[in-house]
Amino acid sequence: MSVSAKSVWKNCLDFIQDNIQPQAFKTWFEPIKPIKLSENVLSIEVPSKFFYEWLEEHYVKLLKVALTKELGEHAKLVYIIKMENTYGNREPFTEKIPSANRGQVSPQEMDVPIKSKNPELKNPFVIPGIRNIKIESQLNPNYNFDNFLEGDSNRLARSAGLAVANKPGGTSFNPLLIFGGVGLGKTHLAHAIGIEIKDKYPERTVLYISAEKFTQQYIESVKKNTRNDFIHFYQLIDVLIIDDVQFFSGKSGTQDVFFHIFNHLHQNGKQVILTSDKAPVDMQDIEQRLLSRFKWGLSAELQSPDYETRISILKNKLYRDGVEMPDDIIEYVAKHIKTNIRELEGAIISLIAQSSFNKKEVTLDLARQVVEKFVKNTKREVSIDYIQKVVSDYFEMDVATLQSKTRKRHIVQARQLAMFFAKKFTKASLASIGSQIGKRDHATVLHACKTVDNLAETDKQFRKYIEDLTKKFS
Ligand code: ADP
Ligand code: MG
């Protein structure tokens, strides 16, 4: 053990000791051994995986402050886990998976029975005897960076994606969380990053999976008693892309297992890329410890594309399909479909189809019909203003009263219902709902939604309010 690792750790301990209970210090910090210091990276040995997770969960901030004081703002901590007895050796757990066993498997092959040569590993994903078969990345080559057009609405997310693709695991964008509404390109961008990485680093294992499928696999593994194998499999991945993590909300088992996988990957410098339809602050029923992980890296929003970007997306699509279309038609479509790139593409595809099936020339009139159908078919979103108006009318008060600061019970309830319906029927964030309903903050809106849920279960009269109002919105 080098002297400097020891002295740096000693200084950290002095600081930590001053900031926590003596018993906690004794339990969680005394058993730690400093192992190595190289530049700004301190490696410490902890007695078990559980120990490491506990430290991460409860003392991550404190450790960070202590370490930053010693090693500067780029300080890093690496945990080495003293192997638990079952594994019979003392190698760091990062090493315990022999490289010969890497690869071979696609996540669908979870059912494959194992005869692993390495009995302690029990990895059901490894097909014995076959080498050099890679984990199927499940990436869609049509979703690449070349055809992901850049615009103001996606510049940050796109360039963060490129940065991650250039140096997976090597930027501070870890995890990279891409969020935004439906049809704005989250899935496309997530694939593009994966494809770029495969291109640049063919030896890395990249895996794209939807949060839904990940959840199914997890449930399956619990049923079959192969939860550990499931975890091991995901811990083998170098670049893990999980799409639509909002799907994890309320699923505490899946969140828990993902938390462990995430920690392992992150600790080992592996890249995690997530997408979600909401920003972390607006995610509901996701455990705090997971949310805090999401915030470690970068959250980059995909916004609705501006007019210019919509035009270039349409032109690019037509160009790729080898179809020509007059500018005024393209402009008409771009002007009328604003909030969803999938619909934008849908409209143009439908125009192309109509014109070729019916041998009709694409006229502005045809464009109008197609666009109208698209706009009609997409569910009209009720506005927060409209919700406040309907709720106020229902309780026979005016909107100003509903928004006022009063704590009178029936007014508070009306306000909470308006917040609840705004959450339910619009895509607005909690923060934005709060600011529109009497300038409240997001916590107030969250509280309102929970209160309404509770009252709906316990209070018959209140349930009636909800039912009546729900009818008015649908
Ligand atoms: P999300 O996952 O956010 O719902 P998708 O990634 O499925 O959205 O994108 C919807 C459609 O829009 C896809 O066909 C995708 O190729 C296209 N698209 C999204 N953003 C862009 C972009 N910047 N340039 C070109 N096509 C895009
Ligand atoms: Mg998607």
Side-chain angles (χ1 to χ4, degrees):
M1 182 201 316
S2 78
V3 179
S4 59
K6 213 172 174 179
S7 63
V8 164
W9 183 241
K10 163 121 193 9
N11 292 343
C12 288
L13 284 183
D14 289 343
F15 174 79
I16 290 167
Q17 190 161 23
D18 286 337
N19 285 284
I20 60 172
Q21 297 293 330
Q23 189 53 47
F25 181 80
K26 207 165 174 273
T27 311
W28 298 110
F29 290 90
E30 280 186 359
I32 298 176
K33 286 195 195 125
I35 300 292
K36 188 170 89 182
L37 179 73
S38 54
E39 286 184 26
N40 53 353
V41 184
L42 177 69
S43 306
I44 56 174
E45 185 191 72
V46 297
S48 68
K49 199 164 162 196
F50 172 74
F51 209 99
Y52 140 69
E53 280 161 2
W54 185 275
L55 288 170
E56 275 288 284
E57 210 177 325
H58 298 272
Y59 300 111
V60 70
K61 277 203 190 117
L62 188 61
L63 278 163
K64 192 165 178 193
V65 176
L67 214 62
T68 311
K69 264 169 47 116
E70 288 308 307
L71 298 174
E73 61 169 326
H74 297 296
K76 273 205 178 130
L77 189 63
V78 170
Y79 297 92
I80 295 171
I81 295 171
K82 209 163 124 181
M83 287 318 301
E84 282 147 325
N85 293 336
T86 45
Y87 291 94
N89 65 44
R90 296 199 30 170
E91 296 212 344
F93 78 139
T94 51
E95 310 276 332
K96 81 180 178 222
I97 294 160
S99 54
N101 266 352
R102 293 185 60 120
Q104 327 274 342
V105 268
S106 106
Q108 279 100 342
E109 280 152 2
M110 290 187 49
D111 318 348
V112 175
I114 358 145
K115 275 193 221 119
S116 173
K117 282 188 219 115
N118 197 354
E120 74 260 24
L121 193 57
K122 291 214 184 74
N123 186 335
F125 305 99
V126 175
I127 305 166
I130 306 174
R131 285 187 180 225
N132 299 326
I133 301 176
K134 299 213 180 83
I135 291 180
E136 274 296 328
S137 287
Q138 320 286 330
L139 291 164
N140 178 349
N142 296 323
Y143 284 160
N144 51 47
F145 270 111
D146 287 340
N147 61 15
F148 189 81
L149 298 190
E150 182 170 355
D152 286 344
S153 55
N154 63 33
R155 191 159 289 121
L156 171 69
R158 191 177 187 282
S159 47
L162 273 171
V164 163
N166 282 327
K167 250 178 119 187
T171 68
S172 51
F173 307 155
N174 198 10
L176 174 63
L177 173 72
I178 301 161
F179 70 96
V182 185
L184 293 181
K186 300 180 296 292
T187 298
H188 186 144
L189 182 55
H191 279 276
I193 300 169
I195 285 168
E196 189 78 10
I197 295 175
K198 283 251 66 129
D199 218 41
K200 286 212 163 81
Y201 303 94
E203 77 290 356
R204 307 244 179 137
T205 315
V206 180
L207 181 69
Y208 167 91
I209 187 156
S210 67
E212 185 172 3
K213 200 156 164 199
F214 179 91
T215 305
Q216 286 166 3
Q217 288 184 353
Y218 169 67
I219 293 170
E220 198 59 12
S221 81
V222 172
K223 257 195 229 150
K224 297 202 169 124
N225 224 348
T226 55
R227 184 176 182 275
N228 284 343
D229 303 324
F230 173 87
I231 295 174
H232 281 314
F233 171 76
Y234 277 93
Q235 289 179 341
L236 290 172
I237 310 289
D238 296 317
V239 178
L240 179 61
I241 305 170
I242 303 195
D243 202 2
D244 290 319
V245 294
Q246 74 275 0
F247 190 82
F248 288 161
S249 69
K251 303 187 173 62
S252 57
T254 312
Q255 286 180 35
D256 187 56
V257 82
F258 176 64
F259 178 76
H260 290 280
I261 291 167
F262 176 89
N263 283 343
H264 180 97
L265 295 178
H266 196 269
Q267 277 298 316
N268 288 288
K270 305 300 170 68
Q271 179 71 45
V272 178
I273 297 157
L274 309 168
T275 80
S276 163
D277 68 352
K278 291 181 202 68
V281 295
D282 292 320
M283 289 184 196
Q284 283 185 357
D285 299 321
I286 300 264
E287 282 179 52
Q288 207 49 46
R289 58 180 189 166
L290 251 195
L291 285 181
S292 90
R293 293 301 188 271
F294 291 173
K295 292 176 198 158
W296 273 4
L298 176 76
S299 307
E301 182 171 14
L302 287 176
Q303 292 163 333
S304 298
D306 52 36
Y307 179 70
E308 302 304 323
T309 314
R310 300 202 293 276
I311 294 272
S312 38
I313 290 175
L314 287 176
K315 287 198 166 156
N316 187 263
K317 173 86 190 136
L318 289 165
Y319 174 77
R320 279 170 193 277
D321 289 0
V323 178
E324 284 190 27
M325 201 165 285
D327 277 352
D328 58 339
I329 309 257
I330 300 174
E331 282 159 18
Y332 183 85
V333 174
K335 212 173 267 167
H336 288 86
I337 300 184
K338 295 179 192 160
T339 52
N340 184 325
I341 300 174
R342 191 174 297 133
E343 283 171 11
L344 198 64
E345 283 187 337
I348 209 81
I349 291 168
S350 150
L351 265 177
I352 298 170
Q354 293 255 2
S355 75
S356 57
F357 287 149
N358 310 334
K359 303 249 173 328
K360 265 200 256 176
E361 209 190 316
V362 182
T363 59
L364 205 51
D365 210 43
L366 182 60
R368 233 175 248 132
Q369 290 170 27
V370 166
V371 166
E372 196 177 310
K373 246 197 249 143
F374 260 86
V375 177
K376 249 193 218 145
N377 280 345
T378 52
K379 234 178 45 214
R380 189 172 46 96
E381 195 183 289
V382 288
S383 72
I384 295 178
D385 282 344
Y386 178 72
I387 290 170
Q388 297 188 75
K389 174 97 182 56
V390 170
V391 175
S392 309
D393 284 352
Y394 180 77
F395 289 110
E396 294 171 346
M397 61 180 76
D398 52 31
V399 174
T401 310
L402 178 134
Q403 291 184 344
S404 69
K405 301 272 181 236
T406 173
R407 306 194 59 82
K408 282 190 189 134
R409 189 157 166 265
H410 71 288
I411 298 174
V412 172
Q413 282 193 347
R415 189 161 57 233
Q416 290 179 329
L417 278 163
M419 290 174 172
F420 169 83
F421 283 113
K423 182 71 214 155
K424 189 160 173 190
F425 291 126
T426 76
K427 293 192 196 86
S429 66
L430 293 172
S432 139
I433 293 170
S435 80
Q436 292 180 66
I437 305 186
K439 299 206 170 55
R440 288 350 193 251
D441 64 10
H442 84 274
T444 309
V445 180
L446 191 59
H447 175 71
C449 295
K450 289 201 175 133
T451 309
V452 170
D453 280 336
N454 286 341
L455 285 173
E457 276 176 25
T458 52
D459 182 333
K460 216 166 146 202
Q461 176 62 51
F462 199 82
R463 193 153 54 231
K464 176 89 168 54
Y465 295 157
I466 298 178
E467 279 160 14
D468 288 352
L469 283 163
T470 303
K471 276 188 208 128
K472 290 183 195 289
F473 294 121
S474 35

